[in-house]
């Protein structure tokens, strides 16, 4: 007689949600340190290295970076209030949930918001952006908001092509890019691509606990800042550019989070950005190979329909008939100790998301795929068999001996 066990979830619970992500031990250990004098040498030096390295990570030499004690929603507000005035028109490029959320914040702050409608399963189409901007002959649109990766839909938007669409339309709106779910995972080149303003947060690709938000402001954003009337004391760049260290954080720095961020940057630079991006790409492709096999059972499917629009940090999976995937999510959590992401936005309640972002390696990703496959079998959900094996085959070829 075969024995059964109620659960194999003991051991470290593994978060496969798209933020917060796994915090490396080196980051946790760096945070376990006493506070520093906020006016003296070591803290001031730490800030200098972080601001320098943020410029490297956003790939800007012309821009200025700012660090806030805030999450991504805070950094959204920081970006908007520093460059806009009440009544300014903002064009939001829909490709999921997150640019829409940024637009909702802009509206509450007093901007006039127009959404360029998109599809929850497709990336932003640059030619539609160009066509809309060409119609704005009076130049009413002051800013264009877009997420590089939309964490709800799982699309990656082609930021260089969108920047090119603005130029082709001869439009001078500020191009503002949310990189919360992409920075430190996939290439982002602020100066080279012509991005005016970007914002991000600590808890996804940057492998640090939630609580730090960032803005990177290019020359055109800094120029717009001078006449912006939405500015408020805490977010204000001018104040933060002030002469003393205290100004940099508009008050007490979130010191332990900054110690953690330093350790996270050190890990990233030790691995090398090119390898970090290649690792994300390979592990994401392994997940996609598994999902492709499972979807042969006609129950599940990729949310993103076009293969080249699927991002390398999270893979949303939907049910074809709109059924709930909660039983599978619960099985993975309760029985296996793997926390999958819930489906969000237009797919809410009808799928799940596998995150593969930040501090992840092959056993983590293969472990998640193995647990999902266990769940598919145990719950007798129709699926093509051998998804995890397909992921292993792919990785064995992608990572040669
Ligand atoms: C997570 C996320 C946010 C919001 O960040 P919070 O820290 O939860 O406020 C914004 N944009 C994108 C693309 C995200 O993935």
């Amino acid at each position: 007689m075969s024995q059964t066990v109620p659960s194999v979830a003991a051991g470290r619970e593994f978060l496969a949600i798209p933020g917060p992500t796994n915090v490396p031990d080196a980051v946790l250990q760096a945070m376990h340190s006493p506070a520093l004098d906020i006016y003296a040498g070591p803290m001031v030096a730490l800030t200098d290295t972080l601001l320098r390295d943020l410029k490297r990570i956003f790939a800007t030499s012309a821009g200025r970076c700012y660090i806030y004690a805030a999450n991504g929603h805070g950094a959204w507000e920081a970006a908007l209030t520093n460059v806009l005035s009440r009544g300014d028109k903002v064009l939001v490029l829909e490709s999921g949930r997150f640019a829409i959320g940024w637009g909702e914040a802009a509206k509450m702050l007093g901007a006039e918001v127009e959404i360029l409608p998109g599809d929850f399963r497709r990336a932003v189409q640059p030619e539609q952006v160009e066509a809309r901007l060409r119609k704005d002959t009076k130049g009413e649109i002051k800013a264009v908001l877009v997420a590089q990766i939309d964490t709800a839909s799982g699309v990656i938007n082609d930021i260089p092509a969108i920047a090119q669409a603005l130029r082709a339309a001869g439009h001078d709106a500020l191009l503002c890019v949310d990189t919360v779910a992409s920075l430190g995972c996939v290439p982002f080149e602020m100066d080279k691509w012509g991005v005016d303003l970007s914002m991000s947060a600590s808890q996804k690709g940057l492998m640090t606990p939630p609580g730090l938000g960032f803005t990177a402001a290019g020359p055109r954003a800094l120029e717009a800042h001078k006449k912006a009337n939405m500015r408020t004391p805490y977010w204000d760049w001018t104040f933060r550019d002030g002469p003393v260290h205290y100004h940099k954080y508009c008050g007490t720095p979130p010191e332990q989070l900054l110690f953690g961020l330093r350790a996270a940057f050190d890990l990233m630079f030790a691995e090398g950005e090119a390898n970090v991006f290649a690792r994300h790409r390979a592990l994401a492709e392994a997940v996609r190979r598994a999902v492709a096999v499972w979807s042969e059972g006609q129950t599940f499917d990729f949310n993103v329909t076009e293969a080249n629009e699927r991002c390398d940090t999270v893979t949303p999976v939907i049910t074809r008939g709109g059924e709930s995937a909660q039983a599978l999510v619960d099985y993975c959590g309760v029985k296996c100790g793997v926390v999958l992401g819930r489906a969000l936005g237009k797919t809410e309640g009808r799928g799940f998301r596998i995150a593969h972002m930040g501090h992840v390696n092959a056993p983590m990703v293969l472990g998640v795929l193995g647990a999902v496959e266990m769940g598919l079998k145990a719950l007798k959900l129709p699926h093509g068999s051998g998804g995890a094996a397909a992921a292993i085959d792919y990785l064995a070829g992608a990572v040669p001996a």
Side-chain angles (χ1 to χ4, degrees), residues 18 71-73 76 98 147 149-151 178 180-181 201 203-204:
N71 62 12
H73 282 68
W76 274 346
F98 284 90
I149 285 179
D150 187 290
T151 329
D178 173 335
V180 177
Q203 79 276 20
K204 297 188 184 174

Side-chain angles (χ1 to χ4, degrees), residues 148-321:
Q148 185 182 17
I149 285 179
D150 187 290
T151 329
S153 63
V155 301
I156 179 155
N157 288 311
D158 186 344
I159 302 301
I162 293 168
Q164 176 53 32
L166 267 76
R167 288 193 293 270
H171 205 289
D172 66 0
L174 295 176
L175 178 58
C176 306
V177 182
D178 173 335
T179 54
V180 177
S182 52
L183 197 68
C185 304
V186 302
F188 180 75
E189 300 266 354
M190 182 153 167
D191 287 2
K192 190 165 148 202
W193 294 351
V195 172
D196 297 303
L197 173 55
S198 181
M199 50 68 58
S200 196
S202 53
Q203 79 276 20
K204 297 188 184 174
L206 300 180
M207 308 182 288
T208 303
L212 295 176
F214 312 105
T215 57
R220 297 178 69 241
L222 292 167
E223 200 50 41
H225 172 74
K226 292 181 187 159
K227 4 184 238 313
N229 79 11
M230 265 189 206
R231 288 162 55 177
T232 60
Y234 182 69
W235 306 119
D236 193 67
W237 292 336
T238 297
F239 182 82
R240 285 166 184 261
D241 285 338
V244 295
H245 183 254
Y246 193 72
H247 289 165
K248 293 273 177 292
Y249 301 95
C250 190
T252 306
E255 295 189 336
Q256 279 74 10
L257 284 169
L258 299 170
F259 302 159
L261 188 67
R262 179 68 263 153
F265 284 176
D266 290 344
L267 282 174
M268 198 181 288
F269 297 152
E271 182 178 352
E273 283 108 312
N275 201 75
V276 170
F277 301 153
R279 171 170 56 83
H280 278 85
R281 172 137 285 229
L283 294 173
E285 184 58 26
V287 172
R288 292 189 284 260
R289 295 292 171 108
V291 172
V293 171
W294 296 332
S295 69
E296 288 164 9
Q298 303 301 318
T299 297
F300 294 96
D301 199 359
F302 289 99
N303 179 57
V304 180
T305 53
E306 305 299 312
N308 66 347
E309 295 176 359
R310 293 177 188 145
C311 76
D312 286 338
T313 57
V314 58
T315 301
V317 178
I318 59 170
T319 54
R320 293 184 196 228

